[in-house]
Amino acid sequence: MSIEPIRMLPRSFRQSASLHIIAPAAFLLACATGPSLSAATTLSAVAGGDSQTVTGPLAVSASAAASGFTAITTRTSTTVSGATSGGFFTAISGTADARSTSDVSITGITSGAPLTFRWDFSGSRNWNPENANVQHELVAGFSGGGFIYSFRWAIGYVDGPVFMGDFAGTLASGAGISAAGSFGPEEQLSFPVWDGLGTISPTLTLTQFSDGWVGSYGQIANLGFGGDVTGSYSIDLRSITVPDASFLTGPAFMTFDNGQQIAITVIPEPTSAALFALGLSGVMAPRRRRDVR
């Protein structure tokens, strides 16, 4: 993670150039080489000294909890949380990590259909402005059919005593992309710069899929705290859509190897009531008076 100087921030956001950084979580989704990918499905959770890993198509969830930290993941929803108190900002004293890699297939679409995936990224945290070390990371991605694509959001900073002066770190960032293979003109990630507070809903449009595509989908959430910090982070895959019905050949789904399905649907068009309200707002908008001289 790159560390950038922070300027024009409230004094409570003082950051340190001696930031201790957690190494980025490895996120490697192997390309599909055949129809059977069951060995790739893995759900894992690590929190404090507790951990759980489950593999194969019967895997439903993994969870861990210890020392004030929790981690839980299913195939589409991943959450980590934790709290530290009484330590020092100079080092990370507790971590939580949850991740999933699942075998999936996509059916019911035309070749090259632009599939738009939408997630909810949510976060909250509180920290002592004189004693905190904060690291967060959220990742999602696909592989199969000759391509690998993942995007990663991460921030990190420390906040120490006043006498140590100004600090350095990253309080907000966009998403970094890792990709290999062939990408079409519809490949597009929409991810705003985010400070990790509240909820955002990034979208990703890819055209690499065709009817019967098989591959892997994965996601990661992890955090590390030191000093006096509490927080939680989650990533949830919410929907998959296409621009119109011409890209569908019938009922369309992304199907996980345990049978769980996410329907691929057409982007809903605005309802007549919504269009009427939009038009009315334009009619009712105050007009500017123009002086005639």
Side-chain angles (χ1 to χ4, degrees):
M1 185 193 315
S2 63
I3 304 302
E4 302 172 356
I6 293 178
R7 298 181 176 90
M8 299 181 67
L9 291 172
R11 187 171 179 80
S12 62
F13 289 100
R14 291 186 309 273
Q15 313 299 318
S16 173
S18 61
L19 175 63
H20 174 83
I21 301 174
I22 298 177
F27 188 68
L28 178 61
L29 300 174
C31 288
T33 57
S36 177
L37 296 171
S38 60
T41 294
T42 303
L43 309 181
S44 67
V46 179
D50 190 25
S51 65
Q52 182 182 30
T53 300
V54 291
T55 60
L58 297 181
V60 175
S61 65
S63 62
S67 303
F69 287 80
T70 62
I72 184 169
T73 187
T74 67
R75 293 162 186 266
T76 61
S77 180
T78 305
T79 301
V80 290
S81 63
T84 57
S85 178
F88 295 97
F89 77 96
T90 53
I92 294 293
S93 58
T95 62
D97 182 281
R99 60 187 66 202
S100 66
T101 301
S102 301
D103 299 335
V104 297
S105 62
I106 290 178
T107 55
I109 64 169
T110 61
S111 180
L115 300 187
T116 297
F117 300 82
R118 183 180 74 85
W119 291 264
D120 282 349
F121 279 36
S122 299
S124 66
R125 69 179 180 275
N126 293 283
W127 72 97
N128 180 343
E130 309 303 336
N131 184 39
N133 190 327
V134 178
Q135 310 292 325
H136 300 301
E137 180 183 47
L138 297 172
V139 187
F142 301 86
S143 74
F147 81 97
I148 299 174
Y149 188 104
S150 67
F151 64 95
R152 170 181 178 265
W153 169 87
I155 63 173
Y157 62 89
V158 297
D159 207 345
V162 175
F163 72 85
M164 299 191 73
D166 291 334
F167 285 67
T170 303
L171 279 172
S173 73
I177 297 171
S178 298
S182 176
F183 291 89
E186 296 298 326
E187 182 269 328
Q188 183 177 359
L189 173 65
S190 173
F191 197 112
V193 173
W194 187 41
D195 62 1
L197 299 174
T199 298
I200 60 170
S201 298
T203 62
L204 171 66
T205 300
L206 293 175
T207 59
Q208 281 68 42
F209 305 101
S210 58
D211 190 48
W213 180 90
V214 291
S216 296
Y217 167 71
Q219 55 187 42
I220 294 171
N222 67 46
L223 57 78
F225 294 153
D228 302 312
V229 187
T230 63
S232 65
Y233 278 80
S234 66
I235 174 173
D236 295 278
L237 178 59
R238 306 298 294 180
S239 66
I240 309 172
T241 57
V242 291
D244 59 68
S246 67
F247 295 105
L248 303 180
T249 60
F253 299 94
M254 184 168 82
T255 303
F256 293 80
D257 60 342
N258 66 345
Q260 178 183 351
Q261 292 183 320
I262 298 178
I264 301 172
T265 60
V266 176
I267 297 174
E269 295 185 359
T271 64
S272 57
L275 291 174
F276 176 77
L278 181 62
L280 185 62
S281 66
V283 172
M284 298 299 290
R287 298 180 179 179
R288 295 182 179 178
R289 188 177 66 181
R290 184 173 56 187
D291 293 333
V292 178
R293 300 181 183 277

Coordinates of all heavy atoms in Angstrom, one line a residue, residues 180-212:
A180 N -5.5 -9.7 -16.0 CA -4.7 -10.4 -17.0 C -5.6 -11.1 -18.0 O -6.7 -11.6 -17.6 CB -3.7 -11.4 -16.4
G181 N -5.3 -11.0 -19.3 CA -6.2 -11.6 -20.3 C -6.8 -10.6 -21.2 O -6.3 -9.4 -21.2
S182 N -7.8 -11.0 -21.9 CA -8.4 -10.1 -22.9 C -9.6 -9.4 -22.3 O -10.5 -10.1 -21.7 CB -8.8 -10.9 -24.2 OG -9.5 -10.1 -25.1
F183 N -9.7 -8.1 -22.5 CA -10.8 -7.3 -22.0 C -11.5 -6.5 -23.1 O -10.8 -5.9 -23.9 CB -10.4 -6.4 -20.8 CG -10.0 -7.2 -19.6 CD1 -8.7 -7.7 -19.5 CD2 -10.9 -7.6 -18.6 CE1 -8.3 -8.4 -18.4 CE2 -10.5 -8.3 -17.6 CZ -9.2 -8.8 -17.4
G184 N -12.8 -6.5 -23.0 CA -13.6 -5.8 -24.1 C -13.8 -4.4 -23.7 O -13.4 -3.9 -22.6
P185 N -14.5 -3.6 -24.6 CA -14.7 -2.2 -24.4 C -15.7 -1.9 -23.2 O -15.7 -0.8 -22.7 CB -15.4 -1.7 -25.7 CG -16.0 -3.0 -26.3 CD -15.1 -4.1 -25.9
E186 N -16.4 -2.9 -22.8 CA -17.4 -2.7 -21.7 C -16.7 -2.9 -20.3 O -17.4 -2.7 -19.3 CB -18.6 -3.6 -21.8 CG -19.4 -3.3 -23.1 CD -20.0 -1.9 -23.1 OE1 -20.4 -1.4 -22.0 OE2 -20.1 -1.3 -24.2
E187 N -15.5 -3.3 -20.3 CA -14.8 -3.5 -19.0 C -14.7 -2.1 -18.3 O -14.1 -1.2 -18.8 CB -13.4 -4.1 -19.2 CG -12.7 -4.4 -17.9 CD -11.8 -3.2 -17.5 OE1 -11.3 -2.5 -18.3 OE2 -11.6 -3.0 -16.3
Q188 N -15.4 -2.0 -17.1 CA -15.4 -0.7 -16.4 C -15.7 -1.0 -14.9 O -16.7 -1.6 -14.6 CB -16.4 0.2 -17.0 CG -16.5 1.6 -16.4 CD -17.5 2.5 -17.1 OE1 -18.1 2.1 -18.0 NE2 -17.6 3.7 -16.6
L189 N -14.8 -0.4 -14.1 CA -15.0 -0.4 -12.7 C -15.4 1.0 -12.2 O -14.7 2.0 -12.5 CB -13.8 -0.9 -11.9 CG -13.8 -0.8 -10.4 CD1 -14.8 -1.7 -9.8 CD2 -12.4 -1.1 -9.8
S190 N -16.5 1.1 -11.5 CA -17.0 2.3 -10.9 C -16.8 2.2 -9.4 O -17.5 1.5 -8.7 CB -18.4 2.6 -11.2 OG -18.9 3.8 -10.5
F191 N -15.8 2.9 -8.8 CA -15.5 2.8 -7.4 C -15.0 4.2 -7.0 O -13.9 4.7 -7.3 CB -14.4 1.8 -7.2 CG -14.3 1.4 -5.8 CD1 -14.6 0.1 -5.4 CD2 -13.8 2.2 -4.8 CE1 -14.5 -0.4 -4.1 CE2 -13.7 1.8 -3.4 CZ -14.1 0.5 -3.1
P192 N -15.8 4.9 -6.2 CA -15.5 6.3 -5.7 C -14.4 6.2 -4.7 O -14.1 5.2 -4.0 CB -16.8 6.8 -5.1 CG -17.5 5.6 -4.6 CD -17.2 4.5 -5.6
V193 N -13.6 7.3 -4.5 CA -12.7 7.4 -3.4 C -13.5 7.4 -2.1 O -14.5 8.0 -2.0 CB -11.9 8.8 -3.5 CG1 -11.1 9.0 -2.3 CG2 -11.1 8.8 -4.8
W194 N -13.1 6.5 -1.2 CA -13.9 6.2 0.0 C -13.0 6.2 1.2 O -11.9 5.8 1.2 CB -14.5 4.8 -0.2 CG -15.5 4.3 0.8 CD1 -16.4 5.1 1.4 CD2 -15.6 3.0 1.4 NE1 -17.1 4.3 2.3 CE2 -16.6 3.1 2.3 CE3 -14.9 1.8 1.2 CZ2 -17.0 2.0 3.1 CZ3 -15.2 0.7 2.0 CH2 -16.3 0.8 2.9
D195 N -13.6 6.8 2.3 CA -12.8 6.8 3.6 C -13.1 5.6 4.5 O -12.7 5.6 5.6 CB -13.2 8.1 4.3 CG -14.6 8.3 4.7 OD1 -15.4 7.3 4.4 OD2 -15.0 9.3 5.3
G196 N -13.9 4.7 4.0 CA -14.2 3.5 4.8 C -15.3 3.7 5.8 O -15.4 2.8 6.7
L197 N -16.1 4.7 5.7 CA -17.1 5.0 6.6 C -18.5 5.0 5.9 O -18.6 5.6 4.8 CB -17.0 6.3 7.4 CG -15.7 6.4 8.2 CD1 -15.5 7.9 8.7 CD2 -15.7 5.4 9.3
G198 N -19.5 4.3 6.5 CA -20.8 4.2 5.8 C -20.8 3.1 4.7 O -20.0 2.1 4.8
T199 N -21.6 3.3 3.7 CA -21.8 2.2 2.7 C -21.7 2.9 1.3 O -22.2 3.9 1.1 CB -23.1 1.5 2.8 OG1 -23.2 0.9 4.1 CG2 -23.3 0.5 1.7
I200 N -20.9 2.2 0.4 CA -20.9 2.6 -1.0 C -21.2 1.4 -1.8 O -21.2 0.2 -1.3 CB -19.5 3.1 -1.4 CG1 -18.4 2.0 -1.2 CG2 -19.1 4.4 -0.7 CD1 -17.1 2.4 -1.8
S201 N -21.6 1.5 -3.0 CA -22.1 0.4 -3.9 C -21.3 0.5 -5.2 O -21.8 0.9 -6.2 CB -23.6 0.5 -4.1 OG -24.3 0.4 -2.9
P202 N -20.1 0.0 -5.2 CA -19.3 0.0 -6.5 C -19.9 -1.0 -7.5 O -20.5 -2.0 -7.1 CB -17.9 -0.5 -6.0 CG -18.1 -1.2 -4.8 CD -19.3 -0.6 -4.1
T203 N -19.7 -0.8 -8.8 CA -20.1 -1.7 -9.8 C -18.9 -2.0 -10.7 O -18.0 -1.2 -10.9 CB -21.2 -1.1 -10.7 OG1 -20.8 0.1 -11.3 CG2 -22.5 -0.8 -9.8
L204 N -19.0 -3.2 -11.3 CA -18.0 -3.7 -12.3 C -18.7 -4.3 -13.5 O -19.6 -5.1 -13.3 CB -17.1 -4.7 -11.6 CG -16.2 -5.4 -12.6 CD1 -15.1 -4.5 -13.2 CD2 -15.5 -6.6 -11.8
T205 N -18.4 -3.8 -14.7 CA -19.0 -4.4 -15.9 C -17.9 -5.1 -16.7 O -16.9 -4.5 -17.0 CB -19.6 -3.3 -16.8 OG1 -20.7 -2.6 -16.1 CG2 -20.2 -3.9 -18.0
L206 N -18.2 -6.4 -17.0 CA -17.2 -7.2 -17.7 C -18.0 -7.9 -18.9 O -19.1 -8.2 -18.8 CB -16.6 -8.3 -16.9 CG -15.7 -7.9 -15.7 CD1 -15.3 -9.0 -14.9 CD2 -14.4 -7.2 -16.3
T207 N -17.2 -8.1 -20.0 CA -17.8 -8.7 -21.2 C -17.1 -10.0 -21.5 O -17.2 -10.5 -22.6 CB -17.7 -7.8 -22.4 OG1 -16.3 -7.5 -22.6 CG2 -18.5 -6.5 -22.2
Q208 N -16.4 -10.6 -20.5 CA -15.7 -11.8 -20.8 C -16.5 -13.1 -20.7 O -16.0 -14.2 -20.9 CB -14.5 -11.9 -19.8 CG -13.3 -11.1 -20.1 CD -13.6 -9.6 -20.0 OE1 -14.3 -9.2 -19.1 NE2 -13.1 -8.8 -20.9
F209 N -17.8 -13.0 -20.3 CA -18.6 -14.2 -20.0 C -19.4 -14.6 -21.2 O -19.8 -13.8 -22.1 CB -19.5 -13.9 -18.9 CG -18.8 -13.4 -17.6 CD1 -18.7 -12.1 -17.3 CD2 -18.1 -14.3 -16.8 CE1 -18.1 -11.6 -16.2 CE2 -17.4 -13.9 -15.7 CZ -17.4 -12.6 -15.4
S210 N -19.7 -15.9 -21.3 CA -20.6 -16.5 -22.3 C -21.4 -17.6 -21.6 O -21.2 -18.0 -20.5 CB -19.8 -17.1 -23.5 OG -18.9 -18.1 -23.0
D211 N -22.4 -18.1 -22.3 CA -23.3 -19.1 -21.8 C -22.5 -20.4 -21.5 O -21.8 -20.9 -22.3 CB -24.4 -19.4 -22.8 CG -25.5 -20.3 -22.2 OD1 -26.0 -20.0 -21.1 OD2 -25.8 -21.3 -22.8
G212 N -22.6 -20.9 -20.2 CA -21.9 -22.0 -19.8 C -20.5 -21.7 -19.3 O -19.8 -22.7 -19.0

